């Protein structure tokens, strides 16, 4: 998912993305009180983009570290 108002998330650190998620969540909860569906939809869209970015980063790190963990050392054939 891409939104032209967000820009490139690759330049942000994980903690910056996490802080942005917290900020947007706070704004989302505040917007719920005003019952404005258009604003809620936009905020939910932004939250989804930031959460997917963190998820992608996490999976990428996991895949790169799992490549080195080979099962050959766990199986002992003697």
């Amino acid at each position: 998912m891409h939104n032209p108002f967000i820009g490139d998330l690759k330049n942000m650190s994980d903690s910056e993305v996490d802080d942005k998620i917290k900020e947007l969540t706070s704004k989302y909860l505040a917007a719920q009180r005003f019952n404005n569906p258009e604003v809620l939809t936009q905020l939910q869209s932004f939250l989804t983009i930031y959460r997917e970015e963190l998820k992608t980063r996490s999976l990428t790190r996991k895949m790169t570290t799992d490549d080195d963990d080979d099962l050959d050392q766990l199986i002992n054939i003697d």
Side-chain angles (χ1 to χ4, degrees), residues 18-61:
D18 192 44
D19 289 343
K20 194 66 172 177
I21 290 171
K22 290 176 186 173
E23 176 187 342
L24 288 169
T25 301
S26 170
K27 289 180 180 182
Y28 184 84
L29 294 174
Q32 279 183 324
R33 287 181 264 166
F34 296 111
N35 197 22
N36 188 340
E38 292 85 12
V39 172
L40 290 173
T41 301
Q42 287 297 315
L43 286 170
Q44 187 62 43
S45 172
F46 287 134
L47 278 166
T48 301
I49 291 169
Y50 282 102
R51 286 179 180 147
E52 286 297 318
E53 177 66 23
L54 272 183
K55 186 178 179 181
T56 302
R57 289 180 185 191
S58 176
L59 288 173
T60 302
R61 273 195 299 271

Side-chain angles (χ1 to χ4, degrees), residues 10-23:
K10 305 286 186 229
N11 297 331
M12 295 176 75
S13 69
D14 288 350
S15 63
E16 289 173 329
V17 174
D18 192 44
D19 289 343
K20 194 66 172 177
I21 290 171
K22 290 176 186 173
E23 176 187 342

